[in-house]
Amino acid sequence: MSVDVTELARGVTTRSAVSVARAISLVEDRRPAQEPKILSLLANLAKSPNVAACRRVGITGPPGVGKSSLVSALCRALRAQGHSVGVLAVDPSSPRSGGALLGDRARIVHDPDDGDVFIRSMASGGHLGGLARAAGAAVDVLSAAYDWVLVETTGVGQSETDIEHVADTVLLVIQPASGDMLQFIKAGILEIPDVLAVNKADLGEVAARAGAELRAALEALGTARTPPVVHTSTLTGEGIDELVRVLAEHRDDIADLSARRIEKSAQWALRLFTHRYGELGVDDRGGPSALRAELSRLIASGASSLSAVAQLAPR
Ligand code: GDP
């Protein structure tokens, strides 16, 4: 398939769903011959003024807490406020079969005729914790098109930490009485989210108790900033508008968004680089800190994470 990258980028920035879908398929294409096109597309899209304005939210949490339901509810609330929304749902998949664990079911409910909502799922392929290799680039594509980009991943091990590399704001979703809290504290996961949602607030007393326990756990961590906790219910709609407000507030309060994005993209690029060239490749570049600084410099001067990785390929 021959691709006119300039035309494709124009389609993405004018929010053509066909173009956005084709652009994401292109960044998922692993054939080496496609790489120049992918890099050129990303460079083209990076020029879109929408990228700086876009709010990118990573949504993570254990299976079954209601992430997909919450993403559907957030989409509806954001659309009601006139915002366009792009969603990337990353499903865990077995590296052996390559098939998504949760199958191909459309888990997020939306109006198929609404051109201002775009939903795409991606199998993680077992790489990079719970995030797909192409997730960062797919987020870059969506960021050129939509006001809000929501990236949903299931909390399986590393994904909670990886998601922060491609999002401005990380939302951790938990549910009452799930016993996950102790695990989160042990694994250091509570230190990652910028905002927390205790979903299934309609369960009443048990939800209120979970919220109180969570606040106590967060305070015990003694971090500089205790993240806000919002009680939500996708059944009753409780807390959904408040969640939108809190997410927007977090994103809009980031003092230097562009520096933060550069830093996070460099971390993501380091993950990609290590995945591609192994630790020997990283050592060849002077070790992780030196390499990250180099990646950071390239990204600060306009390179995408993928292009920075390509430029620093081991000699
Ligand atoms: P995910 O695996 O985290 O994406 O969770 P889902 O969105 O698939 O939801 C898991 C289950 O929880 C489903 O049966 C939902 O109907 C249910 N669920 C989601 N949100 C709520 C809620 O706010 N209250 C209640 N009681 N159930 C919910």
Side-chain angles (χ1 to χ4, degrees):
M1 178 178 69
S2 108
V3 183
D4 178 341
V5 166
T6 317
E7 196 51 43
L8 188 56
R10 200 177 0 252
V12 170
T13 53
T14 54
R15 232 177 274 152
S16 140
V18 173
S19 298
V20 175
R22 285 185 68 194
I24 295 180
S25 298
L26 178 62
V27 303
E28 283 186 302
D29 194 329
R30 308 193 64 163
R31 287 173 296 172
Q34 299 294 75
E35 184 161 281
K37 274 183 229 159
I38 296 174
L39 298 184
S40 159
L41 174 72
L42 294 176
N44 226 303
L45 291 176
K47 292 184 215 138
S48 157
N50 199 73
V51 174
C54 162
R55 295 181 173 120
R56 307 164 161 189
V57 182
I59 300 164
T60 189
V65 295
K67 294 179 299 300
S68 301
S69 314
L70 207 50
V71 168
S72 304
L74 286 172
C75 280
R76 275 194 299 275
L78 290 168
R79 289 298 299 123
Q81 293 179 24
H83 299 294
S84 56
V85 193
V87 177
L88 183 69
V90 184
D91 280 338
S93 58
S94 130
R96 205 150 22 113
S97 71
L101 211 76
L102 305 177
D104 282 329
R105 65 203 167 100
R107 298 185 303 136
I108 297 162
V109 184
H110 74 294
D111 173 1
D113 294 329
D114 183 353
D116 283 332
V117 180
F118 179 90
I119 295 175
R120 172 78 167 229
S121 61
M122 192 180 262
S124 72
H127 295 311
L128 300 170
L131 268 196
R133 186 193 53 90
V139 168
D140 288 342
V141 170
L142 294 173
S143 302
Y146 302 96
D147 300 328
W148 286 69
V149 174
L150 310 179
V151 188
E152 184 205 331
T153 66
T154 290
V156 278
Q158 195 75 61
S159 57
E160 291 90 347
T161 54
D162 273 336
I163 188 111
E164 67 175 332
H165 302 152
V166 301
D168 302 320
T169 303
V170 176
L171 168 68
L172 176 65
V173 187
I174 65 155
Q175 67 177 4
S178 56
D180 288 323
M181 206 85 73
L182 198 61
Q183 282 303 113
F184 288 160
I185 295 166
K186 273 199 212 147
I189 286 165
L190 282 187
E191 286 158 44
I192 292 157
D194 302 297
V195 177
L196 287 109
V198 179
N199 193 39
K200 311 196 182 180
D202 49 276
L203 298 180
E205 173 56 27
V206 66
R209 210 173 325 121
E213 272 173 32
L214 182 58
R215 284 190 186 85
L218 290 168
E219 269 159 38
L221 284 178
T223 44
R225 188 189 143 277
T226 305
V229 177
V230 183
H231 286 252
T232 57
S233 167
T234 65
L235 293 189
T236 66
E238 176 189 343
I240 304 296
D241 286 339
E242 187 193 349
L243 184 58
V244 169
R245 189 179 54 72
V246 168
L247 291 171
E249 219 167 73
H250 173 268
R251 157 63 172 71
D252 298 346
D253 279 353
I254 296 172
D256 192 341
L257 182 68
S258 110
R260 183 172 159 122
R261 282 185 176 175
I262 290 166
E263 180 54 30
K264 285 172 181 287
S265 298
Q267 305 238 35
W268 176 247
L270 181 60
R271 295 276 286 145
L272 292 175
F273 190 100
T274 312
H275 181 251
R276 195 150 153 186
Y277 302 115
E279 293 190 2
L280 287 177
V282 175
D283 285 347
D284 183 53
R285 280 281 166 190
S289 307
L291 176 56
R292 203 174 86 192
E294 265 193 285
L295 290 164
S296 211
R297 194 175 39 74
L298 289 171
I299 292 167
S301 58
S304 61
S305 303
L306 281 181
S307 143
V309 169
Q311 289 178 54
L312 295 181
R315 290 150 291 215

